[in-house]
Amino acid sequence: MCTTYLGWKIIEELKENKIEIDGFPRLIRLNPFVRFKTRGNGAVSFRIAIDEKDTEKIDLVKKIVLKNIKELSELDCENTNPGVVFYIGDITEEMINYSMKAIHSILTIEDAEKLSNKINAEIYKIKKGRGIIGSLAAISCHLNDFTYEILTYRSSKNYGKKRKINKKSIYKMDEKTYPLTFENIDGKYIAIEPHTSCPILYGIRGENMDILKIAKDIVEVEEEIKGSIIYKTNQHTDIHIQKADKISNMEKYSCYSVSGYLKNDPHIIEGGHVFFTLKDESGEIEAAAYEPTKNFRKIIKKLIKGDQIKLFGGIGCGGTFNIEKIKILDLNKKIKYENPKCHCGKKMTSAGLNKGFKCKKCGFKDPNGKKIAIEEERDLEEKFYETPVMARRHLAKPLIRMKNLNDN
Ligand SMILES: [Zn+2]
């Protein structure tokens, strides 16, 4: 079941029992390249101000959380392996490091259990209980940069049915609130609406809760909204990106920013995926802009051998670097060679191998003629380019959020 929905249900039931949560609930996205994960690889956490000695209240919280998870989890699904962690105390340095590992690399259930034992956190594993890895990370994650997402939920009788959201109102909302909200639309594509059968009606992402409330008021729907919640999240912060000082230091299943130059001109394979090899003094890696990145591929196709670039993205199981955005650092000179012109003005043609050039118009022959190098204009700028909204990962920071494009 959708984790954010579970979070909302639990928080609602806590409220009914006069238990308020402290601050915003959090939606923390973890490493997008982990193989065993839910689709968005997200975990939810929230905090309650509670007296450690008030065991009655603590037990009630635990009861409500566990009851909802047992009732609402789709346990028949092989990939559903929920986990819950309860932790009383302050967030330690070790916990913060653990959460960064959960975002940057791959952790095991044992890793989560080990830390939980050490910090005296209580864990509940359902089935394989893989969810405890993310739960512990969601509790521990320190957010320097963050965004918010408002989520609205449908009535269960509408699950699986077409969402009744007034499209025009979404465009209006975008017009009024962008860039304080973002990732709303992509041309004709509506990005606030999930394209799967889940309890979410829509989700709007933004910089603060006030703008999200304004945005929600603009969006018109023709179906019941069961409820809504605002999560504080690490979405669109690039928290998943590690700085790689050289290509040879990068590993599979992790995300990086890395600089280098093109070893060859990009090539296109069947299905419309664009590939090239990125190189530096330490090694090389294959990089790709896949078909779903649509027009972004046109930018990549314009690159040529020798261009200096910086890539942001991650390395999947095949070892290929999946590009999320690119900064063009230094464009190489693109030279094309043309036949020389005759004194009569006509462009000459080859007179045969090593025989120079001849003019078809006036008959002039130039046995020592050489091709002329012409510098072609590059239809690219030395700046950032990013994948379109519809192909963007939850964690990828859009350029509109990057305050200083020169520092990155
Ligand atoms: Zn001529």
Side-chain angles (χ1 to χ4, degrees), residues 342-346 348 359-364:
C342 175
H343 52 78
C344 78
K346 176 85 181 165
M348 297 201 282
C359 176
K360 277 185 174 168
K361 194 176 167 195
C362 72
F364 174 73

Side-chain angles (χ1 to χ4, degrees), residues 58-90:
I58 292 172
D59 287 343
L60 180 61
V61 170
K62 287 178 185 170
K63 204 180 109 192
I64 290 170
V65 170
L66 294 171
K67 185 200 78 178
N68 275 284
I69 286 163
K70 280 171 190 156
E71 274 177 16
L72 295 170
S73 295
E74 285 160 355
L75 296 174
D76 297 340
C77 173
E78 195 200 338
N79 275 329
T80 302
N81 290 290
V84 186
V85 178
F86 297 108
Y87 172 67
I88 299 175
D90 294 323

Side-chain angles (χ1 to χ4, degrees), residues 190-322:
I190 302 294
I192 68 166
E193 170 186 17
H195 293 83
T196 53
S197 165
C198 74
I200 297 172
L201 181 58
Y202 64 79
I204 306 171
R205 296 162 184 213
E207 296 290 349
N208 60 64
M209 64 160 195
D210 293 333
I211 199 73
L212 292 182
K213 283 178 180 164
I214 292 167
K216 179 175 176 275
D217 283 342
I218 300 172
V219 174
E220 294 163 17
V221 301
E222 281 137 37
E223 66 169 80
E224 187 191 352
I225 293 180
K226 270 279 188 195
S228 69
I229 188 168
I230 295 178
Y231 282 104
K232 187 172 178 178
T233 97
N234 64 351
Q235 291 173 162
H236 308 297
T237 63
D238 268 356
I239 196 174
H240 62 314
I241 300 285
Q242 305 171 76
K243 278 187 183 161
D245 52 358
K246 50 188 176 185
I247 289 172
S248 62
N249 281 350
M250 298 195 295
E251 287 171 11
K252 266 188 198 177
Y253 309 116
S254 288
C255 299
Y256 300 96
S257 64
V258 64
S259 300
Y261 61 91
L262 273 83
K263 187 190 173 186
N264 47 20
D265 288 348
H267 63 279
I268 305 150
I269 67 156
E270 208 183 309
H273 314 297
V274 184
F275 289 89
F276 63 84
T277 303
L278 183 77
K279 201 170 157 48
D280 70 5
E281 66 291 336
S282 77
E284 60 184 54
I285 189 167
E286 184 181 53
Y290 291 103
E291 192 280 329
T293 65
K294 302 291 175 197
N295 281 340
F296 180 68
R297 294 171 301 161
K298 288 186 185 162
I299 303 297
I300 302 301
K301 274 194 269 186
K302 286 180 192 168
L303 294 168
I304 60 167
K305 183 179 168 177
D307 283 344
Q308 297 275 351
I309 57 172
K310 184 173 189 178
L311 295 180
F312 292 70
I315 306 172
C317 60
T320 299
F321 192 96
N322 199 322

Side-chain angles (χ1 to χ4, degrees), residues 3-12 14-15 20-28 43-48 138-139 143 146-151 153 209 228-234:
T3 316
T4 72
Y5 175 77
L6 255 166
W8 170 68
K9 285 289 273 187
I10 289 166
I11 291 164
E12 287 297 305
L14 288 170
K15 270 185 205 162
E20 289 289 335
I21 71 160
D22 184 16
F24 284 95
R26 311 199 310 165
L27 166 59
I28 303 297
V44 158
S45 72
F46 54 84
R47 214 165 69 156
I48 296 166
I139 291 173
L143 297 176
F146 47 84
T147 63
Y148 295 87
E149 179 165 8
I150 189 165
L151 289 149
Y153 298 106
M209 64 160 195
S228 69
I229 188 168
I230 295 178
Y231 282 104
K232 187 172 178 178
T233 97
N234 64 351

